[in-house]
Amino acid sequence: MGFKQWIYGIIILCLLLGGCDTSSGDVLDGQNDVLTVSLEMPETPETVPSYYIAERMYVNEETLLEYFFQGEDPVKDDLQRIEGEAYYCSQEGGWQEFLLVRNGMITSGLPGAYYHYGGFRYSQYVDGGYRLPYATYHLFSNIVTEKSIIETYSKELELDFQSRENVQAEIRTFLDSIGLIQAEVDQCYSMDAETMQELADAYIQKEERVIQNADVVDPEIKVPESYTFTQEEEAYYITYAQEVDGNRFCNLDLGLGMRCPSGYVLYTQEGIVEADFGQFVQITEEGEATEVVSPQECLDAYLKEFHQNLEPVPTELTMMGLYYVPTELEEAEEQEYIPVWVLEIRQVGEDTMGDEMIEYRYRVWNAVTGEGMTNMR
């Protein structure tokens, strides 16, 4: 079914652009720009809940402390920078581990600057920097503009120190214990030594060129020294999304200013060395069952627009799915979420230094009405 729908999408695209060889996934327009449709079309569900009303879900702070500090008594920072957040830290072997628990309404003291932000963040530092090399060399990122970094890694490779299945099972037990029962694996990336080395070397070279081409050089900015990665540093980077009765809440940065449930875990031979989860919700009300427009209808609308407004760079349509997103940007203890179709678009261009730049962006349609959404107002 998925393959047939994929081919159908190619045929529609060919018709829009005046004909092409359907044996290829690449479609050339008159200006030699390339559009590749590589996504597998999702099936249209018979019905879905027309909405969810949800309130923020808070994590089990006591279990978090026990898991990360293993019975120790960590220091709790009394100088709260933001009301509603609790900081814990512990010193061990010359490095520190930090746990930030976000439970309750968080305010910054500025008028209107508040939000309900349940979740936590855990990380490790040493000498004012990261204890482990992953963040130093920009080897992973949960920012959509840097998605090309993690997409470099394999989603199937088994690392020698632990199987993907066992790692995910261990993290599953941990997440259940702190209340994140509905956090489901989105992607699991294998950060092997060879790929990390290539990314780290490229990052160093790019940072060196940035400094060389800068009009004014900040003396505080230092290029990381070369580092040799081995199997000892190999890790799994796992992303999570919230799922309720098979319906997934969006964990993508759609560029619409909304906050959605999402999380990630960096798992090494030492276990969880970094994790960040936020915005997960507890469902309080479910709307009546309703039909949705087909994803093909939304895709056809985009293809027609693509033909009328030729994209300036090579473009690939990589994913399409049904998600739930909040209807309002303003934070509240309770929010409404509605179903939308999301199309992921991958584009390849150049940055200001002439290097290849890969960008991911998204188009969103109201799944009930089929109306394109550019904001949430």
Side-chain angles (χ1 to χ4, degrees), residues 121 140-147 149-150 237 239 251-253 262-264 274 276:
R121 175 176 173 79
F140 69 90
S141 177
N142 62 336
I143 303 174
V144 67
T145 55
E146 299 175 342
K147 184 176 179 180
I149 297 174
I150 60 173
Y237 179 76
T239 59
N251 65 330
L252 306 168
D253 181 0
S262 64
Y264 73 84
E274 183 158 336
D276 196 346

Side-chain angles (χ1 to χ4, degrees), residues 239-259:
T239 59
Y240 289 83
Q242 182 164 3
E243 195 169 289
V244 179
D245 296 331
N247 299 311
R248 179 155 292 194
F249 284 61
C250 187
N251 65 330
L252 306 168
D253 181 0
L254 302 179
L256 301 178
M258 65 184 68
R259 298 187 179 97

Side-chain angles (χ1 to χ4, degrees), residues 179-279:
L180 296 177
I181 299 174
Q182 295 174 339
E184 295 293 339
V185 173
D186 182 30
Q187 299 289 348
C188 179
Y189 302 92
S190 300
M191 298 173 63
D192 62 287
E194 181 180 354
T195 304
M196 287 193 291
Q197 191 68 62
E198 293 174 356
L199 289 171
D201 292 344
Y203 176 71
I204 292 173
Q205 294 172 9
K206 184 173 182 178
E207 289 299 291
E208 289 175 342
R209 290 199 303 273
V210 169
I211 292 179
Q212 292 171 358
N213 296 329
D215 295 330
V216 178
V217 178
D218 185 345
E220 298 297 322
I221 298 179
K222 304 293 183 182
V223 177
E225 297 180 356
S226 296
Y227 187 92
T228 301
F229 285 88
T230 68
Q231 286 186 322
E232 296 297 318
E233 288 97 4
E234 291 187 336
Y236 290 105
Y237 179 76
I238 309 173
T239 59
Y240 289 83
Q242 182 164 3
E243 195 169 289
V244 179
D245 296 331
N247 299 311
R248 179 155 292 194
F249 284 61
C250 187
N251 65 330
L252 306 168
D253 181 0
L254 302 179
L256 301 178
M258 65 184 68
R259 298 187 179 97
C260 299
S262 64
Y264 73 84
V265 168
L266 183 62
Y267 190 100
T268 72
Q269 295 185 35
E270 300 180 17
I272 298 176
V273 296
E274 183 158 336
D276 196 346
F277 284 79
Q279 307 295 349

Side-chain angles (χ1 to χ4, degrees), residues 61-356:
E61 188 168 340
E62 182 177 342
T63 303
L64 277 171
L65 291 172
E66 178 62 29
Y67 182 87
F68 287 116
F69 297 106
Q70 299 178 0
E72 297 179 8
D73 187 17
V75 177
K76 183 176 182 181
D77 191 349
D78 293 329
L79 300 176
Q80 298 292 310
R81 290 183 295 171
I82 302 178
E83 182 183 347
E85 293 188 338
Y87 296 84
Y88 298 91
C89 64
S90 175
Q91 191 82 26
E92 180 179 332
W95 55 274
Q96 289 184 316
E97 51 185 335
F98 289 81
L99 174 65
L100 169 62
V101 182
R102 313 174 180 116
N103 276 347
M105 179 184 290
I106 299 172
T107 64
S108 67
L110 299 176
Y114 69 90
Y115 52 92
H116 300 270
Y117 194 11
F120 76 95
R121 175 176 173 79
Y122 173 78
S123 56
Q124 301 173 353
Y125 299 91
V126 61
D127 297 330
Y130 293 100
R131 172 185 171 238
L132 300 170
Y134 310 102
T136 302
Y137 296 92
H138 223 56
L139 298 182
F140 69 90
S141 177
N142 62 336
I143 303 174
V144 67
T145 55
E146 299 175 342
K147 184 176 179 180
S148 60
I149 297 174
I150 60 173
E151 287 297 329
T152 307
Y153 300 110
S154 170
K155 299 177 184 177
E156 300 177 354
L157 178 66
E158 296 283 350
L159 301 177
D160 289 342
F161 77 91
Q162 187 76 276
S163 71
R164 301 164 67 89
E165 181 180 359
N166 288 346
V167 167
Q168 292 180 38
E170 179 182 330
I171 298 175
R172 172 78 275 149
T173 300
F174 162 66
L175 293 176
D176 289 349
S177 71
I178 63 173
L180 296 177
I181 299 174
Q182 295 174 339
E184 295 293 339
V185 173
D186 182 30
Q187 299 289 348
C188 179
Y189 302 92
S190 300
M191 298 173 63
D192 62 287
E194 181 180 354
T195 304
M196 287 193 291
Q197 191 68 62
E198 293 174 356
L199 289 171
D201 292 344
Y203 176 71
I204 292 173
Q205 294 172 9
K206 184 173 182 178
E207 289 299 291
E208 289 175 342
R209 290 199 303 273
V210 169
I211 292 179
Q212 292 171 358
N213 296 329
D215 295 330
V216 178
V217 178
D218 185 345
E220 298 297 322
I221 298 179
K222 304 293 183 182
V223 177
E225 297 180 356
S226 296
Y227 187 92
T228 301
F229 285 88
T230 68
Q231 286 186 322
E232 296 297 318
E233 288 97 4
E234 291 187 336
Y236 290 105
Y237 179 76
I238 309 173
T239 59
Y240 289 83
Q242 182 164 3
E243 195 169 289
V244 179
D245 296 331
N247 299 311
R248 179 155 292 194
F249 284 61
C250 187
N251 65 330
L252 306 168
D253 181 0
L254 302 179
L256 301 178
M258 65 184 68
R259 298 187 179 97
C260 299
S262 64
Y264 73 84
V265 168
L266 183 62
Y267 190 100
T268 72
Q269 295 185 35
E270 300 180 17
I272 298 176
V273 296
E274 183 158 336
D276 196 346
F277 284 79
Q279 307 295 349
F280 280 75
V281 295
Q282 181 70 45
I283 305 301
T284 60
E285 181 182 334
E286 179 179 315
E288 69 282 358
T290 185
E291 296 181 348
V292 296
V293 300
S294 72
Q296 188 67 55
E297 180 180 327
C298 300
L299 178 60
D300 290 347
Y302 173 80
L303 295 178
K304 182 177 180 180
E305 178 183 308
F306 183 95
H307 177 55
Q308 294 172 344
N309 303 289
L310 297 178
E311 297 282 0
V313 295
T315 300
E316 180 183 5
L317 307 184
T318 55
M319 183 278 296
M320 196 164 193
L322 185 71
Y323 296 91
Y324 279 79
V325 299
T327 59
E328 298 289 342
L329 299 183
E330 290 80 6
E331 284 290 340
E333 179 63 32
E334 194 172 67
Q335 285 191 315
E336 179 182 5
Y337 293 77
I338 61 172
V340 298
W341 286 112
V342 175
L343 172 66
E344 182 177 76
I345 303 164
R346 180 182 185 271
Q347 294 185 317
V348 181
E350 291 185 352
D351 60 20
T352 56
M353 294 186 294
D355 295 330
E356 181 181 83

